[in-house]
Amino acid sequence: SCIHDIEAGLKKYSGILIVDNRMLLCYNAADMYFGFSKFRETLKWLNRALEEQKRTMRTDIICQIKMHLLFTHYELKNMDLLPYLLISTQKYFLKQARKFEYELRVFSFFKRALRTGTGAELRALCAETAEEIRKLAEDPDEKRAMRHFDYLLWFESKSRSK
């Protein structure tokens, strides 16, 4: 499979690959697992990507990984960990002087979702956030910043799930 090829390539070329490429390969593996709803594997690959963060200047990649971690822990129902992860992620983004509105909407969603619970109320919150993301995606800069994860699809699917 593609994941096994990534794993083999990382081992074989570990001394040759630059840190940014290793991070991106790990992120892409995580993204594939997320798409297959294999969230424990997703988490493993995201954490592996984050192991490289001290050796890179690519804060944009790190921010995407940290954002993806929020969604992964949410899917894993790690609700005890999520508030702390959310605060930590927000602080990191603030320190990096991130300026994308979609990030604020995602943070707001998680804050509200932690208080909302489940059922119709949560589906309504997802639908509301999906609409906000849809409007933000009309801005070319926001759309480009959102290219690594399909936020709209995720929120739309959660707004329809029972």
Side-chain angles (χ1 to χ4, degrees):
S1 77
C2 187
I3 301 286
H4 296 298
D5 292 343
I6 291 172
E7 183 77 53
L10 284 168
K11 285 179 184 171
K12 184 176 181 179
Y13 301 108
S14 66
I16 299 169
L17 281 172
I18 62 171
V19 172
D20 298 347
N21 289 343
R22 281 197 308 267
M23 283 178 67
L24 286 170
L25 284 170
C26 291
Y27 180 83
N28 288 333
D31 199 40
M32 282 188 261
Y33 276 119
F34 192 90
F36 292 121
S37 299
K38 295 184 180 251
F39 304 117
R40 295 232 175 270
E41 288 297 315
T42 302
L43 186 58
K44 179 183 106 176
W45 282 94
L46 290 173
N47 285 331
R48 191 167 172 184
L50 277 180
E51 289 171 7
E52 305 286 353
Q53 81 179 27
K54 289 181 176 71
R55 295 184 288 279
T56 185
M57 299 301 290
R58 293 288 309 270
T59 57
D60 60 321
I61 299 170
I62 296 167
C63 286
Q64 287 303 316
I65 293 166
K66 287 179 178 285
M67 188 69 83
H68 209 306
L69 276 169
L70 291 172
F71 287 91
T72 302
H73 281 288
Y74 183 85
E75 290 288 4
L76 287 168
K77 299 181 181 11
N78 291 338
M79 299 311 172
D80 292 340
L81 176 63
L82 203 53
Y84 302 102
L85 185 60
L86 180 59
I87 290 167
S88 168
T89 303
Q90 287 178 294
K91 284 180 181 177
Y92 182 83
F93 277 56
L94 191 60
K95 184 178 169 189
Q96 300 307 318
R98 298 286 290 187
K99 61 185 180 315
F100 297 106
E101 189 63 33
Y102 86 91
E103 295 164 343
L104 299 176
R105 301 300 162 92
V106 168
F107 295 151
S108 174
F109 164 78
F110 283 114
K111 277 186 210 168
R112 292 172 64 195
L114 287 166
R115 293 189 309 259
T116 299
T118 59
E121 207 176 323
L122 188 56
R123 286 191 300 278
L125 177 59
C126 288
E128 176 187 323
T129 307
E131 187 54 36
E132 292 171 347
I133 296 291
R134 180 183 284 92
K135 288 176 184 171
L136 288 170
E138 293 171 9
D139 178 297
D141 293 331
E142 291 282 340
K143 185 175 184 172
R144 190 171 29 263
M146 289 190 271
R147 74 185 176 279
H148 297 291
F149 185 88
D150 197 336
Y151 297 95
L152 182 58
L153 179 66
W154 189 87
F155 284 112
E156 285 177 340
S157 73
K158 295 299 173 190
S159 71
R160 291 187 302 268
S161 58
K162 300 288 177 195

